[in-house]
Amino acid sequence: MRPSGRAPDEMRAISFETGFTKHAEGSCLISCGDTRVLCTASVEERIPPWLRGKGEGWVTGEYSMLPRATHTRGGREAAKGKQSGRTQEIQRLIGRSLRAVVDMKKLGERQITLDCDVLQADGGTRTASISGAWVALRLAINSLMEAGAIKDDPITAQVAAISCGIYNGTPVLDLDYAEDSNADADANFVLIEGGQIAEVQATAEGATYDEEGLLRLLRLANIGCDGIFAAQRAATK
Amino acid sequence: MRPSGRAPDEMRAISFETGFTKHAEGSCLISCGDTRVLCTASVEERIPPWLRGKGEGWVTGEYSMLPRATHTRGGREAAKGKQSGRTQEIQRLIGRSLRAVVDMKKLGERQITLDCDVLQADGGTRTASISGAWVALRLAINSLMEAGAIKDDPITAQVAAISCGIYNGTPVLDLDYAEDSNADADANFVLIEGGQIAEVQATAEGATYDEEGLLRLLRLANIGCDGIFAAQRAATK
Amino acid sequence: MRPSGRAPDEMRAISFETGFTKHAEGSCLISCGDTRVLCTASVEERIPPWLRGKGEGWVTGEYSMLPRATHTRGGREAAKGKQSGRTQEIQRLIGRSLRAVVDMKKLGERQITLDCDVLQADGGTRTASISGAWVALRLAINSLMEAGAIKDDPITAQVAAISCGIYNGTPVLDLDYAEDSNADADANFVLIEGGQIAEVQATAEGATYDEEGLLRLLRLANIGCDGIFAAQRAATK
Amino acid sequence: MRPSGRAPDEMRAISFETGFTKHAEGSCLISCGDTRVLCTASVEERIPPWLRGKGEGWVTGEYSMLPRATHTRGGREAAKGKQSGRTQEIQRLIGRSLRAVVDMKKLGERQITLDCDVLQADGGTRTASISGAWVALRLAINSLMEAGAIKDDPITAQVAAISCGIYNGTPVLDLDYAEDSNADADANFVLIEGGQIAEVQATAEGATYDEEGLLRLLRLANIGCDGIFAAQRAATK
Amino acid sequence: MRPSGRAPDEMRAISFETGFTKHAEGSCLISCGDTRVLCTASVEERIPPWLRGKGEGWVTGEYSMLPRATHTRGGREAAKGKQSGRTQEIQRLIGRSLRAVVDMKKLGERQITLDCDVLQADGGTRTASISGAWVALRLAINSLMEAGAIKDDPITAQVAAISCGIYNGTPVLDLDYAEDSNADADANFVLIEGGQIAEVQATAEGATYDEEGLLRLLRLANIGCDGIFAAQRAATK
Amino acid sequence: MRPSGRAPDEMRAISFETGFTKHAEGSCLISCGDTRVLCTASVEERIPPWLRGKGEGWVTGEYSMLPRATHTRGGREAAKGKQSGRTQEIQRLIGRSLRAVVDMKKLGERQITLDCDVLQADGGTRTASISGAWVALRLAINSLMEAGAIKDDPITAQVAAISCGIYNGTPVLDLDYAEDSNADADANFVLIEGGQIAEVQATAEGATYDEEGLLRLLRLANIGCDGIFAAQRAATK
């Protein structure tokens, strides 16, 4: 029995509030249950030094939690003077995941930064960030294409992410905080429409799992991401 | 003529969306025109070392802008490894302003941190932060009093803040970004209900001003803060 | 009754020892009672990146206290690895105050850095820094003009600063440490010769004050700055 | 055809030189082909603050590359003043992997730090670090048990790690640098003797892969880790 | 021929202005020609953690240059966020040199920090810092003894320092900046009254030197320190 | 009697394992008794900004201890976010010592970085670093000359370093950790073949010493360095 009463393969309600902020070229507030992340896509006509002169663009991600996004207040990373290992790990994942679906030649010599700021956390903030970042990116690319700055769509596919885990011995989809903090195993899947895997990060905590367990989690993730893909399409139509 | 078409003594629409996040003891999203700041009040049962054993509490503030709160993306302070002088100046101001209306003995040995995170900026983020922080603080104190943790209300008065400036030679109330970046003089007033001044920060940029100019700005600020006081009362009733 | 026995509108003895160090283009040791600040003006033939190609110069300020300038030793900021919020706030104020009286076109594409290092502190170090920095700047500009590097004097006026406060209910001029640490309200005024205001930073501590109180402090500040203007003229003649 | 001429399921030669340094409670130099990592286990009779009083121990990992472990010299992280996101990600992985096979109650209130310093890199430094850290840990625990400081063996199983990837369309085991920098997909598996998974980190680069591809990589990893488990046993007998 | 016209064994004029600042327990401004260093001794009734409970005290040194102590302005270390290797090297030297003449048991469980802040530099700032720090320390200890806090004098001897070098092939005493920047070899000697050596730091720059050369520099240093010892005694009588 | 049973003028066994790592242009593992330092020379075709356009090269050194090189584990400097004063002092010494024997014109516009990473420490790590760095440099220059990148040998002489000290009243050569931590005086000598001195750093700890003592230590150092020079020649033939 899950704390939320959800079925093992039941995802939380997901929604995208697009245009949440007015300055960014693309933005949305993604809600996955009580987890809420503000995702913005910022287009800059400059690229990192090591890419200059190659006719290619770049996509990168940044991630942060507001100090009181969580049950108890966490220290502000800007005040501590450095980003935690967890933050860096997550923002590297966001960047890699979105780059997996962008054709850098078609993007041209510009950089898009995907800022994912968690306003409220209830489990699954990194996966919500990826799913929301795709929407922000889609909207930013749309506006670049409408303005004639880009001709061919550089986005090759949708990308979405979801967590799965083994809770009380049962594989379940889309862990919330109550499950996440007690799960035996926790896996984040970044999937691409059409059944391709962009990234798997599966960690045993407490108990370990075997090939069979990994496959069952992957299949749950496919179910979840199909739902997110549909919601992304609805939000960006 | 103001860019927004407002009268010189006309403030932008102000609203407080209370309970914007669920974990904080008190929270609101304050909107002053297009400026939107998420203010949370976090109660912790610990105090700074230099206050221990005095039977008093502490109130402090922190401030940050999301990277794309602004027209062009700004670097993330956590990534740079330090907070800017501007950020530190503002969060010191927020803390002082709120402490001016709290009786630390009645608060008891606990600390309340007021986090002000700017989701969208259009001028006046520091003053909106103060006005919103008071609402978050009021809600947090209310819940402490309902829970019986505090007996006597430690809040002694309302506090609110507003910017005024001299734009094209005319003193105007509540500068938005278009005015702020072209004003001859810029002043932030932190006022306490009943006509008292908690803080004045008035800076001449380009032109200077004299005693008469300062008084006219102060009187505009009184008009503005009266409006904010009413909105704060409505939001926390 | 003030701890020093001074009348409410009586300033401490002020003096400028010009040429205190030999390498700087302009330098002075300002003494305001027991507060002593070494102010140097350094001319560099380079400007910040964002000013390049505009034909304008720049004036900036830096501030620091020697560790044992104070009653008890304070940690060295270089050893801590960062400047405090207070330090940054003060050096931003010094820069703004001096820029208010410099014509950047006439200065030409060069930067002048005003270093204010407090050798001994007894209240009012930030205001003494501003008054002393003006003298150092005046001397540096004089030498540039004598050398023919600048034709038209870029300094448009004198600027000076003084603190005022409400001590035991009475508005007083030029707080020393004994008063500063017990004042009900504390205000720093940066004034320009001829009665113009460059900056006001007024903070209520403990008690608040009203329009009338602010005006009385401003008038005291005018008395004080008139004295400083005369001393600056004598020192730089 | 692999650059090294190895068969797709052929691992590089692996060896452990135990007792490589004399001060550490356990140490080894692991060589996986030309990748060489010095792993030391340091026992300290203290635990992190959040574990105090629980009667449990802690195991943590640290990772670094010497500046010239790589083809071109990389900057020293100590000189830059911070550890990269990659370094932090890897050391978090090392810690989690080893904790998966330690019973913290049996370890008792002490901390073991596994330092993994890469002397020479040729692909697979993070997985070699994990396999080598287990040997260093085993030796350190042995000496604690011989000294009577620990009664029951806190190590519950062997843990080892290996990378696999898709190179030129073929799944291959144990990528070296020449393969790693051109692989379509790259996966690191941390496995526990008996067929259990501790961690999977699989990333598509360039091409993505599907369920079938993930399974084939996992099976290669099982082959590789069986070889490492045997070598670990031989080294620590 | 030396740029200053001094004889090879002729030191610059040296003077100590004691009591230069009023808050420190001991202070002096040492002038060696145009090199001027403000030295303060601060007594604190606390010791470093690793000394607790041993009944011993501690003496430590800190060193800094004001940004415009030099011919061209140097960046402020507090603004850069770290102390240079040169600064750290010098302050470690100051601490070791003074500790060589203090009996820590007689000092008792207190720490004395010797802050050496260079107001103006013209070569030999580190050696002037040591010679001046001894005077500040002597004055601070005197006041502790007068107050009855210490019974037996913990200072066992005088310590002083001077630089020597080989300039145009000739060994010379007390290098000024013009010589220092062109010397073939540069050596700093920290000597104790009675002919004992506390520290030698001799570096060949450009040319090297041999045993004979080192001895000749040491003998010059003895001449110089005898003069400083006399000046220290006169200043602290 | 020395703890190791060595005669006062007896050095520990010294050996150089050249080519210890394969990527560096020159490398060796130097062993001085149980002290082992990995020294690599990295050639880069770029020079520091202040040298550009002068037709000269640069040689610099970096130093670090692995965390468990020592008896008890030391914190990792990269994790602390800064290099200690000791580390900076040592790496400055390594750079100066090697530059003393390199003709920068003959080296041409390239930089060689000498990384000295201590794998195991038993006293004398800084001197071993210098002696080993010379071997790594020699090997790197050899390969540059063989490749025809450099015509005339820029190395003007051998350089080596050794520590001496006064232990139980007797001058002894090549202190190990047991002696170093109890010595009355400790001196590091950097010598150049042919009897020239590159650097002396002599510190009295506990007891001081006089001219005679310094000379006796220097003579021991000459004995030791003669042995190191021979070993260096054998290793690089």
Side-chain angles (χ1 to χ4, degrees), chain F residues 22-230:
Chain F
K22 69 169 191 175
H23 299 308
E25 284 71 23
S27 76
C28 76
L29 180 72
I30 179 173
S31 301
C32 299
D34 278 338
T35 289
R36 294 162 75 189
V37 184
L38 173 51
C39 303
T40 60
S42 295
V43 180
E44 290 168 298
E45 298 294 318
R46 57 181 188 73
I47 45 170
W50 43 270
L51 265 184
R52 278 179 203 149
K54 297 196 177 170
E56 293 180 25
W58 189 243
V59 172
T60 186
E62 298 205 1
Y63 170 93
S64 184
M65 285 241 218
L66 293 202
R68 195 55 196 281
T70 42
H71 282 76
T72 56
R73 187 177 183 273
R76 198 175 279 272
E77 291 185 330
K80 290 179 189 167
K82 64 174 182 177
Q83 295 177 299
S84 71
R86 180 185 173 275
T87 290
Q88 293 191 64
E89 198 172 302
I90 292 174
Q91 58 192 14
R92 284 158 56 90
L93 173 63
I94 295 170
R96 276 199 312 273
S97 299
L98 276 292
R99 284 194 295 275
V101 294
V102 174
D103 179 323
M104 295 301 169
K105 286 278 181 200
K106 291 186 181 165
L107 178 57
E109 291 208 346
R110 53 178 61 85
Q111 171 168 301
I112 300 186
T113 303
L114 299 161
D115 285 293
C116 301
D117 287 272
V118 180
L119 305 190
Q120 190 169 278
D122 188 30
T125 64
R126 82 183 67 189
T127 51
S129 294
I130 292 167
S131 301
W134 187 86
V135 169
L137 179 68
R138 178 70 275 174
L139 296 173
I141 296 284
N142 286 355
S143 75
L144 283 169
M145 293 180 71
E146 280 158 26
I150 292 181
K151 272 190 201 159
D152 297 324
D153 188 359
I155 298 185
T156 59
Q158 284 177 255
V159 69
I162 195 77
S163 75
C164 304
I166 300 175
Y167 181 75
N168 277 347
T170 305
V172 295
L173 176 64
D174 189 22
L175 304 176
D176 57 27
Y177 178 79
E179 291 169 325
D180 192 25
S181 45
N182 287 295
D184 293 327
D186 176 15
N188 295 297
F189 294 90
V190 185
L191 302 181
I192 294 171
E193 55 170 319
Q196 295 294 301
I197 299 169
E199 182 120 3
V200 179
Q201 291 192 340
T203 306
E205 316 208 13
T208 54
Y209 50 99
D210 58 11
E211 186 184 301
E212 175 62 24
L214 181 62
L215 277 188
R216 291 182 62 185
L217 295 185
L218 173 55
R219 283 162 192 174
L220 281 175
N222 266 301
I223 295 171
C225 285
D226 282 346
I228 304 175
F229 290 138

Side-chain angles (χ1 to χ4, degrees), chain B residues 10-234:
Chain B
E10 187 184 346
M11 204 166 54
R12 292 177 288 179
I14 189 166
S15 72
F16 298 91
E17 185 176 346
T18 56
F20 190 76
T21 64
K22 69 171 189 173
H23 298 308
E25 283 73 23
S27 78
C28 74
L29 180 71
I30 179 172
S31 302
C32 298
D34 279 336
T35 289
R36 292 162 75 190
V37 185
L38 173 51
C39 304
T40 59
S42 295
V43 180
E44 291 168 297
E45 298 296 319
R46 57 180 186 76
I47 45 169
W50 43 270
L51 264 184
R52 277 179 203 148
K54 297 196 177 173
E56 292 181 24
W58 188 244
V59 172
T60 185
E62 298 204 2
Y63 170 93
S64 184
M65 286 242 217
L66 293 201
R68 196 54 197 282
T70 44
H71 283 76
T72 56
R73 187 176 183 276
R76 199 176 280 272
E77 291 186 328
K80 291 178 188 166
K82 64 174 180 178
Q83 295 178 299
S84 71
R86 180 184 174 275
T87 291
Q88 292 191 61
E89 197 172 302
I90 293 175
Q91 58 194 14
R92 284 158 56 90
L93 173 64
I94 295 169
R96 278 199 308 274
S97 298
L98 274 293
R99 284 195 294 276
V101 295
V102 174
D103 180 323
M104 295 302 169
K105 287 280 183 197
K106 289 185 181 166
L107 178 57
E109 292 208 348
R110 52 177 63 85
Q111 173 169 301
I112 300 186
T113 303
L114 299 160
D115 285 292
C116 301
D117 286 273
V118 180
L119 304 191
Q120 189 170 277
D122 188 31
T125 64
R126 84 183 66 187
T127 50
S129 294
I130 293 167
S131 301
W134 187 87
V135 168
L137 178 68
R138 178 70 274 172
L139 295 172
I141 296 284
N142 287 354
S143 76
L144 284 170
M145 294 179 71
E146 281 157 26
I150 293 182
K151 273 193 196 157
D152 297 324
D153 188 0
I155 298 184
T156 59
Q158 285 176 255
V159 70
I162 195 79
S163 77
C164 303
I166 300 175
Y167 181 77
N168 279 344
T170 306
V172 296
L173 176 64
D174 189 19
L175 305 176
D176 56 29
Y177 178 79
E179 291 169 325
D180 191 26
S181 46
N182 288 292
D184 294 324
D186 177 16
N188 295 296
F189 294 91
V190 184
L191 303 181
I192 293 171
E193 55 170 319
Q196 293 295 302
I197 299 170
E199 182 121 3
V200 179
Q201 291 193 337
T203 306
E205 317 207 12
T208 53
Y209 50 98
D210 57 10
E211 184 183 304
E212 176 60 26
L214 182 62
L215 276 188
R216 290 182 62 185
L217 296 185
L218 174 56
R219 283 163 192 172
L220 281 175
N222 266 300
I223 294 171
C225 285
D226 282 348
I228 303 174
F229 290 139
Q232 285 176 332
R233 279 189 301 268

Side-chain angles (χ1 to χ4, degrees), chain A residues 17 27 30 35 44 85 87 94 97 102 126 148 162 198 204 212 221 228:
Chain A
E17 186 175 345
S27 77
I30 179 172
T35 289
E44 289 168 297
T87 290
I94 295 170
S97 299
V102 174
R126 81 183 68 187
I162 195 81
E212 177 60 28
I228 304 174

Side-chain angles (χ1 to χ4, degrees), chain D residues 1-2 27 67 79 185 193 204 222 229:
Chain D
M1 199 60 178
R2 307 178 70 172
S27 77
E193 55 170 320
N222 266 300
F229 289 138

Side-chain angles (χ1 to χ4, degrees), chain A:
Chain A
M1 200 60 177
R2 306 179 69 173
S4 60
R6 283 187 279 147
D9 62 353
E10 186 183 345
M11 203 165 55
R12 292 176 288 179
I14 189 166
S15 71
F16 298 91
E17 186 175 345
T18 56
F20 191 76
T21 66
K22 70 171 190 174
H23 297 308
E25 284 72 22
S27 77
C28 76
L29 180 71
I30 179 172
S31 302
C32 298
D34 278 338
T35 289
R36 293 162 76 188
V37 185
L38 173 51
C39 303
T40 60
S42 294
V43 180
E44 289 168 297
E45 299 295 318
R46 58 179 187 76
I47 46 171
W50 43 271
L51 265 184
R52 276 176 205 152
K54 298 196 177 172
E56 292 180 25
W58 189 243
V59 172
T60 186
E62 297 204 1
Y63 170 93
S64 184
M65 286 240 217
L66 295 201
R68 195 54 197 281
T70 43
H71 283 77
T72 55
R73 188 176 182 275
R76 199 175 279 271
E77 290 186 329
K80 291 178 189 166
K82 65 175 179 176
Q83 295 178 300
S84 71
R86 178 184 174 275
T87 290
Q88 292 192 61
E89 198 172 301
I90 293 175
Q91 56 193 15
R92 284 158 57 90
L93 174 63
I94 295 170
R96 278 199 310 273
S97 299
L98 275 293
R99 285 194 294 275
V101 295
V102 174
D103 180 323
M104 296 300 170
K105 286 280 179 199
K106 290 185 180 163
L107 179 56
E109 292 207 348
R110 52 178 62 85
Q111 171 169 302
I112 301 186
T113 302
L114 299 161
D115 285 294
C116 301
D117 287 272
V118 180
L119 304 190
Q120 189 169 278
D122 188 30
T125 64
R126 81 183 68 187
T127 50
S129 294
I130 292 167
S131 301
W134 187 85
V135 168
L137 178 68
R138 179 71 273 175
L139 296 172
I141 296 284
N142 286 354
S143 76
L144 284 169
M145 293 180 72
E146 280 157 25
I150 292 182
K151 272 191 197 157
D152 297 323
D153 188 358
I155 297 185
T156 59
Q158 285 177 256
V159 69
I162 195 81
S163 76
C164 303
I166 298 176
Y167 181 75
N168 277 345
T170 304
V172 297
L173 176 63
D174 190 21
L175 305 176
D176 57 27
Y177 178 78
E179 291 168 324
D180 192 26
S181 46
N182 287 293
D184 294 325
D186 177 16
N188 295 296
F189 294 90
V190 185
L191 302 181
I192 294 171
E193 56 170 320
Q196 294 297 122
I197 299 170
E199 182 121 2
V200 179
Q201 291 193 340
T203 306
E205 316 208 13
T208 54
Y209 48 97
D210 57 12
E211 186 183 302
E212 177 60 28
L214 182 62
L215 278 188
R216 291 181 64 183
L217 296 185
L218 174 55
R219 282 164 193 172
L220 281 175
N222 266 301
I223 294 171
C225 285
D226 282 347
I228 304 174
F229 289 138
Q232 286 177 331
R233 279 189 300 270
T236 58
K237 208 167 352 188

